[in-house]
Structure formats: C-alpha cells, structure tokens
Amino acid sequence: MKAVWYERMGPAPEVLAYGEMPTPIAGPGEVRVRLEASGVNPADVGRRGGGYRPMEYPRVIPNSDGAGIIDQVGDGVTRLQIGQRVWLFNGQRNGRAFGTAAEYIALAEHLVTPLPDNLSFAEGATLGIPGMTAWTCLFCDGPIVGKTVLVTGGAGAVGHYAVQLAKWGGAQVIATVSSAAKAEQARLAGADLVINYRNEDVVAKAMAFTGRRGVDRVVDVDFGGNIDTTLKLMGMNSTIAVYASNGNRTPVVPMRELMEKCIAVRALVLFALPPPLLAAAQADITKWLAAGPRIHNVAAQFALSDTAQAHLAVEKGDKLGTVIVDCARLRPAG
C-alpha cells in the first residue's frame, strides 16, 4: 500500500516519507479499513514534531482519525462487517505505530463506528478525536440539560463540535472566539452568546448572561492560559473539563479558589479514557448525527503524497475545521 511515515522527529517536509509499505491484515478483534480520508489533529503534528515525547516506535505512520470502507474483518468481530462505511479514531495511539496517512489501517473494532450515508468521507474524518473529545468534556460528568456551558475556542475543531453537541444536550452555550469569522462559525453551530475575547470583556458578558450565577461547565482549550479569567465566571459546584493547556503547560493551580466554589477540574486525553466511556460517546454521536443536519468543517484537503503540506497547514494555527488528507488521491491534481 501507499503510505506516509517518519523514522525521526522534526519538520514535516524533512522527516515525512512517502512510498510503499506492507498492507496490514486484520487480526483477531480487528477490522481493516480501506481509507478514503485521514484527519490531521494538532496532537499528530506535535508527535511528529517532537513536542510530546521521544519516538515511540522505529517507524510511525502519522494521523489518528480517518474514514473509509471496511474490506476485511478478523476473528471475533461481531459489530461490523465488510462493505460498511465507517469513521475511526485513535489510529496511531495506545500501542499502534501505524495511523491513517495510508491506504489501509487495521485496528480494533471498538475504535470504529458506522458512518451515515449522508456524510462524505472527508466529513467523517473530522469526527474522531475532535468529536469524541467534545462529547467527553460535556457529558462524562452527567447530563447538561438546563445548564450553561462555556466553550473556549468555539470555532476550533473540538470547540465547534462542543457547541453543537451542547445544544443537542439541552444546554445554553457561551462560546469565546478570537475573530469575527470565528464568531460567525460559533453562531452557526448554535452558540447562544459569542464573545470575542480579544476586544470584549468575557467575564462581564458571561456573568450578565447567567444572571450573575456563573457557568456550570467549561470545555477548555487552554487551561493555563485561561484560568485567571475562567475562575471569575465559574458557578458553584461547576466543572472545568480540560483537553489542552498550550498557553501555559505548567500552570499554578489556584486550589483555594477552586475549593471555595467546589469547582472540579477534569483533565483528559482521549486515548487514556476507559472503553465504556468511549463506547457511550460513539453511541451518542451516532444519535446526534441521526437527529438532524450537522456542521462538519473541512479546513483544507491534500493528496496523500502531500501529507507534509497538510501538517504545515495545521501548524499555521489559522484553520477553521479539520485538515484532511485524501488517502485515495495519491498525488496532487494538475
């Protein structure tokens, strides 16, 4: 099969190679997916660039999300079958060196979910880590019906899904953004209040919206960078669900302030969550997709041979949505 890989960490154009690799075989409990699309997440870029940890394996196929068609099933597979359209997550995680920047991937069936016929493969490849992370931040501490949820970075890949899922879950939603274009995206997703944190007073607007009560739950893209502001708008017995902290990776935790409002801090990373919780997320996302039209933002698309350019597009930091690699399109058009 055609694939992209790296054998050392570094800049994408220098370390990503494109060529032939053996086509995987579905083992016991696994399905093999003929990939049509691969989603590139910031964590994939960070792992390749060296920002996370040393090389885990001698060779890594990057990217963890994707969508395609099952073309082989291993012994013991009962939930999925050959010919199904599917989306998947955590392809290159938890002991798996080979991700979705390839024509095929074999992985455990519990990481694979049927893809509705009305979604394209590119749209399906946006669901994975962003959608699963958004669901977990919102729902793993219980229902959100009637609650007020603040989504920081409401136009980002995770944030945009968090806004949509929170509205589906019965919450009022506040979203913070950094530009007018991103504000429009958050509104389209259903946010009840959108605040541009660059030129508006986030605390004043959020507190006025909640009648001075504060918010019940925060889906936070940057715990360390936001904590001074976040603390001022949290309600009593509220929760901050943290999935990133790039502004300050080693923040001082203001324990006394957290205690005084009984604020719970839930730090999470998708690949470490228990399987029953992941299964609940997949089931709910399936229900959510079936309940009405949804917005799946594809920021840009690249041929498999141009995976390095896809990684660079993510590194720029100005994308709206998920950057996609078209696994069935091996070379750029033209």
Side-chain angles (χ1 to χ4, degrees):
M1 69 175 181
K2 295 292 185 183
V4 172
W5 66 85
Y6 58 93
E7 296 176 342
R8 61 184 177 90
M9 294 176 171
E14 297 178 19
V15 303
L16 289 179
Y18 170 69
E20 289 284 343
M21 281 186 60
T23 302
I25 302 296
E30 293 185 334
V31 298
R32 186 174 72 186
V33 179
R34 186 179 76 242
L35 290 159
E36 297 286 337
S38 169
V40 186
N41 289 292
D44 302 317
V45 170
R47 283 169 176 256
R48 185 265 309 147
Y52 280 66
R53 61 188 71 185
M55 282 283 291
E56 299 170 281
Y57 313 98
R59 173 178 283 188
V60 173
I61 294 176
N63 305 353
S64 286
D65 292 343
I69 299 172
I70 294 174
D71 79 331
Q72 189 180 77
V73 297
D75 291 342
V77 171
T78 58
R79 189 171 57 86
L80 301 167
Q81 59 189 7
I82 291 173
Q84 275 190 287
R85 302 170 82 251
V86 294
W87 60 274
L88 60 95
F89 67 99
N90 280 1
Q92 197 273 295
R93 295 287 191 277
N94 294 60
R96 292 179 300 280
F98 297 156
T100 60
E103 291 184 286
Y104 293 89
I105 187 172
L107 75 170
E109 70 167 331
H110 73 267
L111 299 173
V112 182
T113 309
L115 178 68
D117 289 339
N118 64 319
L119 266 65
S120 69
F121 290 113
E123 290 172 327
T126 71
L127 287 168
I129 289 175
M132 295 286 289
T133 299
W135 184 94
T136 305
C137 288
L138 289 166
F139 297 107
C140 67
D141 290 300
I144 58 174
V145 175
K147 297 185 181 295
T148 300
V149 173
L150 169 66
V151 179
T152 64
V158 173
H160 202 247
Y161 275 140
V163 172
Q164 295 182 73
L165 283 163
K167 291 301 297 180
W168 175 74
Q172 286 193 304
V173 181
I174 303 169
T176 61
V177 297
S178 60
S179 70
K182 291 181 178 180
E184 179 61 20
Q185 288 297 312
R187 290 189 190 95
L188 288 172
D192 300 288
L193 173 66
V194 180
I195 307 171
N196 187 329
Y197 64 82
R198 295 192 186 279
N199 54 32
E200 296 181 288
D201 188 327
V202 175
V203 174
K205 290 210 160 194
M207 293 302 286
F209 181 80
T210 62
R212 308 300 302 173
R213 188 177 58 84
V215 304
D216 301 295
R217 198 157 301 180
V218 174
V219 178
D220 201 0
V221 69
D222 186 5
F223 178 79
N226 293 333
I227 187 61
D228 288 344
T229 298
T230 305
L231 275 178
K232 297 173 184 175
L233 50 76
M234 299 301 296
M236 298 293 291
N237 300 295
S238 53
T239 301
I240 305 172
V242 181
Y243 66 92
S245 187
N246 293 326
N248 180 359
R249 293 197 173 189
T250 56
V252 175
V253 178
M255 189 56 65
R256 187 66 203 175
E257 290 89 338
L258 294 171
M259 291 168 62
E260 287 174 349
K261 288 187 176 180
C262 291
I263 300 170
V265 177
R266 173 179 285 276
L268 61 92
V269 62
L270 194 63
F271 64 80
L273 293 172
L277 189 64
L278 297 178
Q282 289 164 281
D284 253 11
I285 289 172
T286 297
K287 293 176 186 175
W288 169 71
L289 290 172
R294 309 300 177 194
I295 302 172
H296 310 279
N297 281 340
V298 175
Q301 294 180 255
F302 296 85
L304 181 60
S305 57
D306 275 347
T307 297
Q309 296 304 310
H311 276 226
L312 291 176
V314 173
E315 287 180 351
K316 283 180 63 180
D318 60 354
K319 66 183 181 65
L320 283 175
T322 300
V323 172
I324 298 297
V325 170
D326 294 326
C327 301
R329 182 161 65 95
L330 304 180
R331 298 195 174 279

